[in-house]
Amino acid sequence: MSLRADAVLFDKDGTLFEFGATWNAWGHGALRHLSGDCDVALGALAAASRFDLARGEFLPDSPVVAGTNREAAECLAGALPHLVAEEVERYLTETGSEAPMVEAVPLMPLMAQLEALGLTLGVMTNDAEIAARAHLRSAGIETAFRFIAGFDSGHGAKPDPAPLLAFADAMGLLPARVVMVGDSPHDLSAGRAAGMQTVAVLTGPIGASELAPLADVVLPDIGHLPAWLGAA
């Protein structure tokens, strides 16, 4: 069987896990906590983070969708004078690590299928590495990945291609034989800049029209990867 790639590098939120089902309720709770239950402060935080309070969801252009935890913390801290970015970041990481994750598709069988095809698997997320490992562990798939990196792992953050190239270098792979899979322009721009193949999925808040120009293909979810790779 000839596959179009030797490895798959996944984004986490919006890719392995449904973004809205996982993060919208957590986000609302986090904003309310940081606001001290003050409606005026809550409104300021929601405006800064592009969270629609009426609909209870992050908007597609929210810095929380594709940015790092640090960027999200700085954004929120800038909205209220008493907040300290470092403390907000710590809070986001600690509470986010414990958030109940909603799998985009059943992950254990899919990862087992991809491993059986001989593919090298990795995760590069703009979340903190400790949170990423906690989420992957909770889904029972942490050991499926030979490379797990967050924005704080020392390789940089997307859309910079450096962390993607770190994966290729660590695994001894040609970038052109790696597929970067993600739900945001940050993921896909990083993949393109790294010289990798790019696959967009629609399990995040960003639509196909924005993702398609940066992707080799747009799939409904990662469950369609094996067929696209040539395994079926």
Side-chain angles (χ1 to χ4, degrees):
M1 181 186 302
S2 178
L3 300 178
R4 67 173 73 218
D6 300 319
V8 181
L9 183 61
F10 292 94
D11 169 53
K12 179 173 67 73
D13 300 316
T15 302
L16 293 172
F17 303 100
E18 285 272 5
F19 186 91
T22 295
W23 293 112
N24 284 337
W26 170 86
H28 200 172
L31 295 183
R32 184 156 290 284
H33 170 83
L34 293 169
S35 75
D37 280 327
C38 169
D39 288 342
V40 174
L42 177 62
L45 291 171
S49 61
R50 300 288 293 147
F51 187 88
D52 186 328
L53 289 169
R55 299 179 62 176
E57 63 186 22
F58 286 105
L59 297 172
D61 62 349
S62 167
V64 176
V65 170
T68 67
N69 259 22
R70 187 160 301 148
E71 289 168 339
E74 290 171 350
C75 165
L76 293 169
L80 296 176
H82 70 279
L83 293 180
V84 178
E86 291 77 11
E87 294 176 1
V88 174
E89 182 181 351
R90 190 178 308 113
Y91 169 78
L92 296 179
T93 299
E94 289 175 355
T95 61
S97 296
E98 299 170 356
M101 306 301 288
V102 179
E103 299 179 12
V105 300
L107 292 175
M108 288 183 67
L110 177 60
M111 296 307 134
Q113 181 182 4
L114 296 174
E115 283 187 293
L117 292 171
L119 292 159
T120 299
L121 306 180
V123 172
M124 197 289 128
T125 173
N126 277 353
D127 198 354
E129 182 179 335
I130 190 171
R133 289 187 176 277
H135 297 153
L136 298 173
R137 195 177 308 121
S138 71
I141 58 171
E142 183 183 15
T143 58
F145 301 103
R146 293 180 59 191
F147 180 98
I148 299 171
F151 81 94
D152 54 354
S153 299
H155 307 299
K158 299 171 290 190
D160 192 318
L164 281 63
L165 292 171
F167 168 67
D169 290 344
M171 298 296 109
L173 299 161
L174 293 174
R177 293 289 297 172
V178 178
V179 179
M180 177 68 217
V181 186
D183 70 305
S184 78
H186 272 29
D187 302 321
L188 305 174
S189 295
R192 284 280 170 92
M196 296 178 175
Q197 301 173 59
T198 54
V199 171
V201 289
L202 300 178
T203 41
I206 299 173
S209 61
E210 189 172 347
L211 299 174
L214 298 169
D216 296 322
V217 66
V218 179
L219 301 176
D221 57 55
I222 57 173
H224 295 260
L225 264 178
W228 182 79
L229 288 164

